Amino acid sequence: DSGVTQTPKHLITATGQRVTLRCSPRSGDLSVYWYQQSLDQGLQFLIQYYNGEERAKGNILERFSAQQFPDLHSELNLSSLELGDSALYFCASSAAPGRERDGYTFGSGTRLTVV
Amino acid sequence: GESVGLHLPTLSVQEGDNSIINCAYSNSASDYFIWYKQESGKGPQFIIDIRSNMDKRQGQRVTVLLNKTVKHLSLQIAATQPGDSAVYFCAENRYQGAQKLVFGQGTRLTINP
């Protein structure tokens, strides 16, 4: 157990629908990162939050949004889902910006299947 | 898109042999590199890291080498075991408005008995 909790583990939904993925960071970590991993691909950075505020954006579609709550858990919202959105979505946490050298800790991911 | 490149997408080695996984990066300003291991159905797991002011770092059965001149990173795994079968990613710590890790595509390592 890495200490980063992601729910649900699996999600199957239809095109056009909206889903919410949840992440609880490791205890004490303030930063949360979301990554998308398509089949046999690397991890594409989506977005980063630190202590409730957005810090960095990567290749995140406009149909996707995220937020980090006061208790530091984060949610990734995916809307108007398309078949190509099927992927593994990982959340990672780290202590604070500037301490990324302490490393990221990844959760086990949410496997999203859009049918 | 942005990425740290890998030379080989797959690598097969005999159990007990040494493995070398290579990675090329493009951003000479990156100051920190990490190797991750991802087993099937799991999230990436930290293996070893190296800062840009070093050229070698050793862990348990793993060694990372950094050649800044040619922007090349490698992961050496000694005496590979079946449990080493996984996808290995190198990641580069970049500052682009904020610090973030940029991952390569990954190399799938298969250990043959």
Side-chain angles (χ1 to χ4, degrees):
Chain A
D1 182 7
S2 68
V4 177
T5 303
Q6 288 188 251
T7 57
K9 291 192 184 305
H10 302 276
L11 198 50
I12 301 175
T13 190
T15 55
Q17 295 298 305
R18 180 179 188 276
V19 297
T20 298
L21 313 184
R22 182 188 169 103
C23 169
S24 293
R26 192 178 51 173
S27 178
D29 285 356
L30 301 177
S31 280
V32 169
Y33 310 80
W34 287 98
Y35 284 82
Q36 179 192 55
Q37 185 178 37
S38 300
L39 184 64
D40 286 339
Q41 296 292 312
L43 291 102
Q44 294 296 320
F45 171 72
L46 295 178
I47 199 165
Q48 176 199 355
Y49 280 84
Y50 168 68
N51 205 21
E53 293 189 3
E54 181 184 305
R55 284 292 298 247
K57 258 187 175 179
N59 299 322
I60 187 167
L61 299 172
E62 287 191 9
R63 300 183 286 110
F64 296 0
S65 65
Q67 55 184 329
Q68 187 180 27
F69 294 87
D71 67 352
L72 300 177
H73 91 270
S74 178
E75 293 181 355
L76 179 67
N77 302 298
L78 316 176
S79 62
S80 302
L81 285 168
E82 302 174 0
L83 295 178
D85 296 328
S86 296
L88 274 165
Y89 291 84
F90 286 102
C91 168
S93 71
S94 70
R99 289 190 59 191
E100 286 82 357
R101 294 177 179 182
D102 294 344
Y104 289 20
T105 301
F106 282 84
S108 297
T110 292
R111 181 175 294 280
L112 173 66
T113 303
V114 182
V115 298
Chain B
E2 58 183 8
S3 68
V4 180
L6 292 176
H7 293 308
L8 295 173
T10 61
L11 178 65
S12 293
V13 298
Q14 292 297 121
E15 183 177 350
D17 286 353
N18 297 333
S19 302
I20 299 177
I21 301 171
N22 295 304
C23 177
Y25 64 95
S26 58
N27 192 331
S28 58
S30 295
D31 62 354
Y32 178 57
F33 303 88
I34 310 175
W35 281 100
Y36 283 90
K37 172 185 180 183
Q38 187 178 21
E39 297 175 277
S40 180
K42 297 183 179 179
Q45 181 182 11
F46 174 93
I47 301 174
I48 191 167
D49 59 359
I50 189 167
R51 305 199 194 293
S52 60
N53 61 353
M54 304 169 68
D55 55 17
K56 181 179 180 179
R57 190 162 189 225
Q58 286 185 295
Q60 186 177 15
R61 284 201 307 119
V62 294
T63 300
V64 56
L65 299 178
L66 175 62
N67 185 331
K68 293 182 289 295
T69 302
V70 295
K71 289 186 279 189
H72 182 269
L73 194 68
S74 69
L75 176 70
Q76 300 178 3
I77 305 174
T80 50
Q81 304 168 358
D84 294 329
S85 292
V87 177
Y88 290 81
F89 294 95
C90 64
E92 172 186 10
N93 188 49
R94 289 186 192 172
Y95 185 83
Q96 293 178 330
Q99 298 277 8
K100 65 177 180 181
L101 284 181
V102 176
F103 285 81
Q105 189 171 357
T107 294
R108 183 176 300 279
L109 177 65
T110 302
I111 311 302
N112 301 315

